């Protein structure tokens, strides 16, 4: 009897927990779903209220984007985000490993200096970057944006990957050294294969920062290197706000990151917990 009551209570608690999770998920996703639905609405039905609840879906908002330079801005976003993320991982991961295994007294000071680039607000760097880029001819170029994103992503890579390396056992590395492996070979053959989940997590976060950046893309670009988030703002002009294009552009901006995150969700979850417990 007592067992059946406990089982019934467990089922009831599980049902309540699942219901709460579903409700919270709906509340969280509702604005995004509304945004996606709005991207398929004709202009006359977007603010039609209840009358616009039933509408005939159209792809006009999406097709009109490609005639407004949106395709080139998406390409700019993809290139700058991908290249800056790859470079940050190539440079920052060995740096994080070096800081994790360093024994010098200045190690903590160096770590704090690296973190300082992420602590200051972006607006503090806007004028220096603008003046230097104008002098060097990097305004409105993809290379200019890549350098900016790389600067900020490096600190993120170093701190996330260092936390992971601090939690990995060093016995395998020491065994490789005893067998005659060099430090670099140990890093490439032993350490990197174990850090796959952490690398994926760090890559997603770096890509998200670069892909969603608006401030630097607005400040340092004009036409040639304009990214998708800035291009969407151009649909808000003195003639009126083109809500259909804004919704369609925002949806297209969300799709690549969402698809990549779903494909890598297994590694993303593993990477979030990597290094949480030192062993």
């Amino acid at each position: 009897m007592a067992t059946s009551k406990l089982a019934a209570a467990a089922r009831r608690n599980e049902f309540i927990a699942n219901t709460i999770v579903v409700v919270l998920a709906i509340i969280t996703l509702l604005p995004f779903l509304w945004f996606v639905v709005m991207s398929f609405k004709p202009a006359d039905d977007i603010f039609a209220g209840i009358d616009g609840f039933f509408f005939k879906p159209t792809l006009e908002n999406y097709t009109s984007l490609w005639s407004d330079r949106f395709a080139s801005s998406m390409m700019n976003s993809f290139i700058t985000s991908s290249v800056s993320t790859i470079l940050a991982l190539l440079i920052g991961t060995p740096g994080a490993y070096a800081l994790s295994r360093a024994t010098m007294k200045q190690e903590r000071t160096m770590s704090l200096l690296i973190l300082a680039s992420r602590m200051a607000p972006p607006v503090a760097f806007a004028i220096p970057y603008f003046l230097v880029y104008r002098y060097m001819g990097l305004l409105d170029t993809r290379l200019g944006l890549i350098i900016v994103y790389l600067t900020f992503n490096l600190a993120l890579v170093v701190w996330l990957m260092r936390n992971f390396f601090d939690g990995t056992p060093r016995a395998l590395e020491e065994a490789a050294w005893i067998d005659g492996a060099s430090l670099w070979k140990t890093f490439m053959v032993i350490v990197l294969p174990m850090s796959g989940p952490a690398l994926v997590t760090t890559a997603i976060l770096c890509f998200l920062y670069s892909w969603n950046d608006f401030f630097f893309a607005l400040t340092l670009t004009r036409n040639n290197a304009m990214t998708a988030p800035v291009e969407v703002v151009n649909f808000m002009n003195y003639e009126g706000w083109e809500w259909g294009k804004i919704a369609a552009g925002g949806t297209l901006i969300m799709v690549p990151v969402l698809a990549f995150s779903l494909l890598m969700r297994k590694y993303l979850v593993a990477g979030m917990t990597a290094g949480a417990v030192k062993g």
Side-chain angles (χ1 to χ4, degrees):
M1 188 69 178
T3 304
S4 61
K5 288 183 177 180
L6 290 175
R11 288 193 298 268
R12 182 174 62 253
N13 292 336
E14 183 180 0
F15 175 78
I16 294 174
N18 291 336
T19 303
I20 294 175
V21 169
V22 171
V23 171
L24 290 176
I26 292 175
I27 294 174
T28 303
L29 294 175
L30 191 59
F32 299 99
L33 294 176
W34 174 79
F35 201 64
V36 173
V37 170
M38 187 171 69
S39 68
F40 292 100
K41 282 186 175 184
D44 296 336
D45 293 330
I46 290 179
F47 293 105
I50 299 178
D51 296 334
F53 187 77
F54 299 98
F55 64 95
K56 183 178 180 180
T58 178
L59 293 176
E60 180 182 357
N61 295 323
Y62 288 94
T63 55
S64 61
L65 286 178
W66 305 109
S67 60
D68 289 330
R69 302 184 309 170
F70 190 78
S72 61
S73 68
M74 285 284 287
M75 182 59 65
N76 290 335
S77 290
F78 179 78
I79 292 175
T80 55
S81 301
S82 301
V83 174
S84 62
T85 298
I86 293 173
L87 290 177
L89 290 175
L90 289 176
I91 300 173
T93 303
Y97 179 70
L99 283 175
S100 175
R101 300 297 187 260
T103 57
M104 55 185 177
K105 296 180 180 180
Q106 294 80 11
E107 179 266 334
R108 176 179 289 272
T109 302
M110 292 180 60
S111 300
L112 291 176
L113 289 175
I114 293 173
L115 182 62
S117 63
R118 298 289 301 184
M119 296 173 65
V123 68
F125 300 95
I127 295 178
Y129 269 118
F130 182 85
L131 295 177
V132 171
Y133 276 20
R134 186 176 64 175
Y135 176 78
M136 299 180 64
L138 291 176
L139 285 177
D140 200 20
T141 62
R142 292 173 178 172
L143 177 60
L145 286 180
I146 290 172
I147 294 174
V148 172
Y149 298 155
L150 174 62
T151 302
F152 288 93
N153 282 338
L154 268 177
L156 183 64
V157 171
V158 170
W159 273 85
L160 288 178
M161 292 306 300
R162 182 195 172 186
N163 184 57
F164 171 79
F165 292 140
D166 285 344
T168 56
R170 305 189 183 188
L172 293 177
E173 301 171 47
E174 294 171 354
W177 296 337
I178 293 174
D179 290 339
S182 63
L183 180 63
W184 179 252
K185 186 174 182 180
T186 301
F187 174 72
M188 295 296 295
V189 178
I190 304 297
V191 179
L192 274 187
M194 294 192 301
S195 59
L199 285 172
V200 172
T201 303
T202 305
I204 291 176
L205 294 177
C206 290
F207 187 87
L208 277 174
Y209 169 79
S210 304
W211 182 267
N212 293 329
D213 172 69
F214 176 80
F215 180 76
F216 285 113
L218 177 66
T219 306
L220 303 176
T221 65
R222 292 295 180 269
N223 297 304
N224 298 329
M226 185 178 293
T227 58
V230 179
E231 185 66 40
V232 168
V233 177
N234 289 335
F235 300 136
M236 307 175 187
N237 49 55
Y238 65 92
E239 297 177 354
W241 289 19
E242 302 175 85
W243 286 108
K245 289 184 178 180
I246 293 172
T251 301
L252 290 177
I253 291 174
M254 289 188 295
V255 166
V257 176
L258 181 61
F260 185 60
S261 300
L262 289 176
L263 289 174
M264 299 295 180
R265 64 186 182 277
K266 175 182 176 182
Y267 300 98
L268 181 61
V269 174
M272 284 296 187
T273 58
V277 179
K278 294 185 179 181

